[in-house]
Amino acid sequence: MPGLKRLPRWVTLAALTVLTTLTAAGAAQALQVTDERGVTVTFAQPPQRIVSLLPSLTETVCALGQCQRLVGVDRYSDFPLSVRSLPQVGGGLDPNIEAIVALKPDVVLMATSSRVGDRLQSLGIKVVALEPMSHADVKRVLQTLGQLLDVPDAQQVWRVIDAGVLAAAQSLPASVKQTRVYFEVNSAPYAAGEASFIGETLTRLGARNIVPGHLGPFPKLNPEFVVRANSDVIMVGDRNYAGMDGRPGWSGMRAIRERRVCVFSAAQSDALVRPGPRMAEGARIMAQCLQEMAGRTP
């Protein structure tokens, strides 16, 4: 332009260098996580406003020391106590979309089985889908959430879980090992099979699961299968225990006949069936059950 002096070449090059450096720095700050749908989600910075639609994910966020980032949860997220004061946005499978949008989250954490991911994404809300079923899944979810939340040593939480499960196993006498267990998660009946995180914990405790891994993590069983398996011990939550001995053929099962049934409270059941930071507590509860049942006389 007339009246303006042309800048020296070295000034122009210096300006370009600074611009390139700043652009690269900005790109480096962006983070990407790949969820269990195989979808890669990009964030300019770690999300500060999080809605969680799965209790195990809620507990994992808090175990990573980031509870303060949660701005909303599903109706079943009730641990730790601090999350009970957060806005609830419905169930994980049927959340209130308008309530989620109103919270202006940077990301929504949900189960892969949830059907609302596409709807939320169409509204411009980022979604990360994670649904742990096994010990390896829990470890991987911790890694993913640690990356998402910029928590450097997320695996420290896994090491605590792993050490707790090991301690529970070591607390059991040899006489308890090889106890055949049926763990019911729902009265349909759905069971925790060998391939589930509950089944893997039972295996580490030395117990034998009557539900083989090839049936899947949490299969729906034919009740006759359970009767024929005739387990030594039954583990069940009090929500599903009512009427169990009245099911056709079940009163003749050894576990029911000899009163070898561990009936867990609602609080215990929550710790047992959520694949996350409280898995060591779940292992201790199951170990206590095995020890008590081993000493029970018919």
Side-chain angles (χ1 to χ4, degrees):
M1 292 180 64
L4 290 179
K5 295 183 179 179
R6 186 171 180 175
L7 292 173
R9 178 179 172 78
W10 68 269
V11 174
T12 304
L13 290 174
L16 287 173
T17 301
V18 170
L19 181 60
T20 301
T21 302
L22 291 173
T23 302
Q29 289 176 357
L31 64 90
Q32 292 184 325
V33 295
T34 300
D35 68 11
E36 293 183 1
R37 301 169 299 172
V39 175
T40 298
V41 188
T42 302
F43 298 85
Q45 60 186 10
Q48 300 302 309
R49 297 182 59 81
I50 300 170
V51 169
S52 172
L53 300 181
L54 193 63
S56 61
L57 298 181
T58 302
E59 294 185 20
T60 301
V61 169
C62 289
L64 291 171
Q66 303 303 314
C67 234
Q68 74 280 3
R69 299 199 208 184
L70 291 168
V71 295
V73 293
D74 69 289
R75 69 169 67 97
Y76 302 109
S77 287
D78 56 6
F79 187 89
L81 290 178
S82 61
V83 305
R84 296 184 183 182
S85 62
L86 293 172
Q88 293 185 354
V89 294
L93 297 178
D94 59 340
N96 184 323
I97 300 293
E98 291 182 358
I100 293 174
V101 172
L103 292 172
K104 300 180 180 179
D106 299 323
V107 67
V108 173
L109 304 177
M110 68 175 194
T112 54
S113 55
S114 179
R115 299 181 295 272
V116 300
D118 291 343
R119 173 66 175 147
L120 290 171
Q121 289 172 149
S122 72
L123 295 171
I125 295 175
K126 296 184 186 239
V127 167
V128 172
L130 303 163
E131 192 165 1
M133 294 281 188
S134 66
H135 284 200
D137 291 341
V138 172
K139 189 175 182 180
R140 185 171 59 252
V141 166
L142 276 164
Q143 187 67 35
T144 301
L145 288 180
Q147 179 186 1
L148 178 66
L149 303 177
D150 194 26
V151 176
D153 190 16
Q155 289 307 308
Q156 171 61 23
V157 176
W158 172 255
R159 290 191 288 274
V160 171
I161 294 170
D162 192 51
V165 175
L166 177 60
Q170 292 176 336
S171 73
L172 290 172
S175 59
V176 173
K177 303 300 173 78
Q178 300 303 306
T179 301
R180 298 174 67 254
V181 175
Y182 167 62
F183 191 114
E184 183 168 293
V185 294
N186 186 282
S187 58
Y190 285 91
E194 285 181 326
S196 69
F197 69 96
I198 295 171
E200 289 175 337
T201 297
L202 281 171
T203 297
R204 289 189 62 181
L205 294 176
R208 294 173 57 197
N209 196 320
I210 68 163
V211 183
H214 68 80
L215 293 180
F218 298 101
K220 182 177 182 180
L221 300 176
N222 184 325
E224 291 183 6
F225 172 92
V226 183
V227 173
R228 288 196 304 270
N230 198 22
S231 63
D232 302 318
V233 170
I234 292 174
M235 298 184 182
V236 61
D238 57 6
R239 299 163 180 152
N240 298 306
Y241 175 65
M244 178 177 276
D245 56 358
R247 299 174 189 174
W250 285 50
S251 61
M253 293 168 55
R254 179 176 183 237
I256 291 180
R257 191 176 66 249
E258 299 181 359
R259 298 177 295 114
R260 299 179 189 274
V261 181
C262 291
V263 182
F264 304 121
S265 68
Q268 288 175 320
S269 294
D270 286 344
L272 285 162
V273 303
R274 295 178 182 176
R278 290 195 287 166
M279 282 169 48
E281 180 182 345
R284 288 191 292 272
I285 293 169
M286 286 189 277
Q288 182 179 10
C289 163
L290 290 169
Q291 192 150 12
E292 288 178 358
M293 293 303 105
R296 178 165 295 187
T297 56

